[in-house]
């Protein structure tokens, strides 16, 4: 049920209907637009929306689709049922053009059946062959006239007409030249036709000098038009041939019309198909203009609009190079009634109309301007109470009219109902109006109906606080400039800002102070508290976002630390294993050499020279196994930091008092500083920091990375499993990738990634071709599509 009866006019759907009708190519589609109505069955609605969405995709794809000659032939085609009747040449021309359009549509859907299955289902109902079109095309030419070769008899008659007319004109021209030479004809006159017969113009005073029949005279009577006697027979011959031509044309058209009669049933379905295609095409064209899409559909009672826009307001603002502010709103089982409050002219009514218009459009089979991820359900009843509904005819005031609507709402509402009430309870004494409105709302709530209400009444706002399935919403307001922002904020009621707006409009302060006194300080403070709560909520939301951002960074740092720790553990185990194996090998070799020396000494019976030589070999081997002094790691010493006088500034190095940790100052506050400690940013109070000498810091850093093992730790700490070469030249990218792969091999990585971007794919091809020449590259493949696709190359290392 749709209430009231003028629902479409109140919601603005009558203008939507006009705009879609204007997009139709013929009255075929316009007739369906006029019949377009509210659909309550999901299984009937869904295919209509899918068809429109598929047609929108046809526009977006750029594929050619017939866009002309959607011609209605219903006013004459049924005449084919009567034997002996015939269509005119113009009617056959319209039939020919429209049949071509139908056949082209069928051909398109046959070719793209898989891409547009719902539109193809429409085509399946049409059983129309090209035979009739070919028969008509063989007789009717591109100008809509019967072809000369439509029949042998017609061709012969037209040939005879041509010859007779040529002979006639030659004879008349001869007579005309003679009359003109005798000055019987007006100056600048010429041969002409009257009543289908060729005549010559003659001055009235010389009409008896030219023998023939007068057919006409000029408006002034000074010129008469005479058919010469010599041309009489030839004119009669041409006229008889023209009569014969007409009889042959009627004969051909009658035969051609007879071919239409057996196809009338198929043609009726075909033109019904053409009308529907024109209608759907118009809906898709309108959707394209307002940026409409097909949302997620549900066979339930739900409204989840994301970035919804009022289509008429969007079109109007677009003409002024402005954009409509989108609306996000949610109505479902646990929150099925929304109460919107806020200042006048703040957008409350527009928000309510947007919900009503979009839901009505959707259930009429139209796409709507929302985000594609929006979820939309279906309702059986749609009620609206909006605007000034005063009725002089029925002797009803505006408030009485509102009450009449409320009565109808209460009688017909159920859980399948969506009601929309603007300025709920206004129009009468506020205390009584508010009380009646709250009581009506309680009943609608008990009926489990869904709805959107706009109001200024506090008791209606408080109703949302007391009932779990009702939620408040407020239209945002710029408190500094006292201007509406036209944005809906869900979760809290809004203030009317009546005092503030009056102050901006220039109402004297003395009067406003009196008004505050009459309202009562408690009510004024309530509004102030409401505004303050809204402000604090926005600030809190901003801080929550900042905390979530920091938590994300902290989680990433912790993950990097765990990965590094795990890597160091793995490397430590590997080094110990290799060291043990090397030590075992050294000991085995040493034992072998000792045994050899003993054997040589024994064999030489302790000969001095042989013994000395054997000892020297052992000494040389011992020295060879001992690592060089310069390569021995020095015993790590505690760094000695020197304090520096002066005020701490951004860029200085500082030490935390009582610790050896140093960091660089990134930013300064009044009482604390943000410093970088390794990879970690931290805020520390200034009185806990000590400024350090930059020279000492640089020396200490240089010392700390002089050893090989320390360098490896630094490399492993700073290594990231992905390198970014976007924007580099090919030579630069190859050098960077070379160093990156070397580090990955040394540090034991099995797989790394190279971020080169998509672009034209030149850099990706260059890098992959370069890497394929090395045998330690096990594999090259694209990253997962959700993580970058072919813009990232995963490199498997052997």
């Amino acid at each position: 049920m749709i209430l009231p009866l003028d629902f479409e006019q109140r919601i603005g759907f009558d203008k939507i209907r006009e705009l879609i009708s204007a997009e139709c190519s013929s009255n075929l589609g316009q007739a369906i637009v006029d019949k377009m109505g509210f659909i309550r069955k999901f299984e009937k609605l869904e295919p209509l929306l899918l068809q429109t969405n598929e047609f929108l995709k046809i526009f977006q794809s750029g594929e050619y689709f017939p866009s002309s000659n959607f011609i209605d032939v219903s006013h004459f085609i049924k005449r084919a049922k009567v034997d002996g009747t015939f269509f005119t040449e113009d009617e056959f021309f319209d039939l020919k053009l429209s049949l071509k359009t139908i056949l082209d549509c069928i051909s398109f859907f046959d070719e793209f059946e898989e891409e547009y299955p719902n539109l193809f289902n429409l085509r399946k109902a049409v059983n129309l062959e090209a035979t009739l079109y070919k028969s008509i095309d063989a007789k009717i030419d591109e100008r809509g006239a019967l072809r000369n070769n439509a029949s042998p008899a017609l061709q012969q008659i037209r040939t005879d007409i041509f010859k007779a007319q040529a002979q006639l004109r030659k004879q008349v021209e001869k007579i005309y030249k003679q009359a003109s030479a005798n000055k019987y004809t007006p100056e600048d006159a010429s041969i002409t036709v009257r009543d289908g017969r060729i005549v010559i113009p003659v001055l009235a005073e010389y009409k008896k000098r030219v023998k023939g029949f007068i057919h006409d005279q000029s408006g002034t009577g000074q010129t008469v038009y005479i058919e010469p006697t010599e041309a009489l027979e030839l004119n009669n011959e041409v006229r008889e041939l023209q009569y014969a031509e007409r009889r042959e044309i009627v004969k051909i058209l009658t035969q051609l019309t007879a071919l239409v009669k057996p196809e009338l049933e198929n043609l009726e379905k075909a033109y019904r198909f053409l009308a529907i295609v024109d209608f759907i095409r118009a809906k898709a064209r309108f959707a394209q203009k307002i940026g409409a899409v097909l949302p997620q559909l549900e066979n339930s009672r739900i409204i989840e609009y994301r970035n919804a826009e009022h289509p008429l307001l969007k079109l109007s603002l677009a003409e002024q190079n402005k954009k409509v502010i989108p609306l996000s709103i949610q109505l479902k089982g646990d929150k099925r009634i929304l109460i919107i409050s806020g200042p006048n002219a703040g957008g409350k009514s527009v928000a309510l109309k947007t919900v009503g218009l979009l839901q009505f459009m959707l259930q009429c089979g139209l796409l709507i301007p929302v985000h594609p991820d929006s979820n939309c359900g279906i309702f059986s009843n749609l009620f609206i109470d909006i605007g000034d509904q005063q009725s002089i005819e029925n002797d009803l005031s505006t408030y009485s009219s509102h009450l009449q609507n409320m009565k109808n709402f209460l009688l017909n509402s159920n859980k399948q109902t969506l009601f929309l009430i603007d300025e709920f309870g206004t129009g009468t004494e506020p205390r009584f109006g508010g009380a009646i409105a709250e009581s009506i709302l309680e009943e609608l709530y008990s009926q489990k109906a869904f709805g959107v209400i706009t109001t200024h009444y506090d008791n209606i706002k408080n109703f949302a606080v007391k009932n779990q399935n009702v939620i408040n919403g407020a239209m945002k307001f710029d408190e500094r400039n006292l201007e509406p922002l036209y944005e809906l904020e869900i979760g809290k009621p809004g203030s009317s800002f009546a005092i503030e707006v009056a102050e901006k409009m220039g109402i004297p302060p003395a009067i406003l102070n009196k008004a505050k006194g009459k309202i009562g300080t408690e009510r004024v403070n309530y509004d102030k508290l409401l505004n303050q709560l809204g402000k604090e909520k926005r600030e809190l939301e901003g801080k929550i976002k900042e905390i979530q951002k920091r938590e994300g960074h902290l989680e990433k740092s912790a993950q990097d630390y765990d990965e590094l720790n795990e890597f160091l553990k793995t490397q430590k185990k590997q080094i110990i294993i290799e060291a043990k194996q090397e030590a075992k090998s050294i000991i085995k070799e040493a034992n072998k050499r000792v045994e050899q020396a003993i054997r040589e000494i024994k064999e030489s019976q302790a000969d001095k020279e042989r013994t000395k030589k054997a000892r020297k070999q052992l000494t040389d081997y011992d020295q060879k196994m001992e690592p060089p002094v310069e390569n021995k790691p020095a015993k790590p010493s505690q760094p000695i930091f020197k304090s520096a006088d002066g005020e701490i500034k951004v860029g200085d190095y500082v030490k935390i008092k009582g610790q050896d940790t140093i960091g660089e100052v990134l930013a300064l506050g009044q009482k604390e500083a943000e410093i970088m400690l390794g990879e970690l940013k931290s805020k520390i109070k200034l009185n806990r920091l000590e400024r350090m000498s930059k020279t000492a810091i640089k020396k200490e850093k240089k010392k700390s990375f002089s050893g090989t093992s320390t360098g490896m730790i630094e490399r492993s700490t700073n290594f990231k499993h992905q390198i970014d070469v976007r924007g580099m030249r090919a030579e630069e990218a190859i050098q960077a990738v070379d160093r990156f792969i070397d580090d990955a091999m040394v540090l034991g990585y099995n797989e790394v990634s190279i971020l080169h971007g998509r672009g034209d794919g030149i850099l990706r091809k260059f890098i992959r071709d370069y890497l394929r020449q090395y045998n330690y590259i096990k594999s090259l493949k694209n990253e997962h599509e959700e993580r970058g696709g072919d813009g990232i190359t995963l490199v498997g290392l052997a």
Side-chain angles (χ1 to χ4, degrees), residues 741 744-745 749-754 771 774-781 793-798:
I741 295 295
M745 294 285 290
Y749 279 78
N750 294 325
E751 187 181 80
V752 291
S753 62
I754 302 171
L771 292 177
Y774 295 105
N775 55 12
Y776 54 79
I777 302 298
K778 187 167 65 175
S779 65
L780 296 169
K781 60 183 180 181
T793 295
L794 296 180
V795 182
L797 301 174

Side-chain angles (χ1 to χ4, degrees), residues 1-11 360 382-384 389 405 408-409:
M1 179 179 293
I2 303 296
L3 290 176
L5 297 178
D6 61 347
F7 179 95
E8 290 192 13
Q9 288 73 28
R10 294 206 171 273
I11 209 69
F360 192 77
L382 203 53
F383 303 157
I384 191 167
Q389 302 180 55
N405 284 338
N408 292 331
F409 289 8

Side-chain angles (χ1 to χ4, degrees), residues 456-577:
H456 289 286
Y457 288 158
D458 289 338
N459 65 317
I460 302 299
K461 301 176 191 176
N462 292 334
F463 186 87
V465 179
K466 299 174 185 177
N467 296 275
Q468 60 179 357
N469 293 328
V470 187
I471 188 170
N472 270 311
M475 301 308 297
K476 290 185 179 181
F477 192 77
D478 185 346
E479 299 172 35
R480 179 177 298 177
N481 300 315
L482 295 178
E483 294 177 349
L485 299 175
Y486 305 108
E487 295 179 27
L488 177 62
E489 184 178 11
I490 302 296
K492 73 176 188 67
S495 168
S496 298
F497 292 95
I499 297 292
E500 292 84 355
V501 172
E503 186 177 5
K504 183 186 179 183
M505 297 301 293
I507 303 299
I511 294 177
L512 294 178
N513 289 332
K514 286 182 180 180
K516 290 178 182 178
K518 293 179 182 297
I519 296 170
T521 56
E522 183 179 343
R523 182 66 185 85
V524 174
N525 290 337
Y526 174 80
D527 258 11
K528 287 183 178 179
L529 179 61
L530 199 60
N531 299 338
Q532 183 63 28
L533 286 173
K535 187 176 180 181
E536 290 177 358
K537 181 184 177 184
R538 289 190 290 274
E539 291 175 354
L540 182 60
E541 287 174 349
K543 290 180 180 179
I544 289 173
K545 288 180 181 178
E546 182 64 27
I547 291 171
Q548 289 173 343
K549 185 178 179 181
R550 290 184 179 182
E551 285 179 347
H553 288 311
L554 184 60
E555 186 178 346
K556 180 68 168 59
S557 299
Q559 183 180 351
D560 291 344
Y561 172 79
D562 290 340
E563 289 176 357
L564 175 60
N565 189 38
E566 186 64 30
F567 170 75
L568 291 176
K569 285 180 181 179
T570 305
Q571 289 296 97
K572 180 180 177 182
K573 290 179 182 178
Q574 185 65 28
I575 291 170
I576 291 173
I577 291 171

Side-chain angles (χ1 to χ4, degrees), residues 87-94 96-97 135-151 154 158 245-246 249 252-253 256:
F87 303 154
T88 65
E89 291 171 88
D90 288 340
E91 289 172 339
F92 266 119
F93 188 55
D94 285 346
K96 171 187 169 179
L97 294 176
S135 298
I136 298 173
D137 185 51
K139 307 293 184 184
I140 305 295
D141 64 16
E142 290 69 26
R143 296 174 291 110
L146 208 59
R147 297 182 189 274
N148 290 337
N149 63 351
S151 74
L154 181 64
R158 287 184 172 175
E245 179 191 29
R246 183 58 192 164
I249 287 174
I252 294 169
L253 294 177
L256 199 54

Side-chain angles (χ1 to χ4, degrees), residues 91 182 288 335 352 391 418 563 588 612 626 734 737 783:
E91 289 172 339
N182 293 329
Q288 200 174 33
K335 299 294 180 185
L352 180 138
S391 174
L418 173 64
E563 289 176 357
K588 185 177 180 180
K612 187 177 179 181
E626 185 175 348
I734 289 299
V737 169
E783 176 60 276

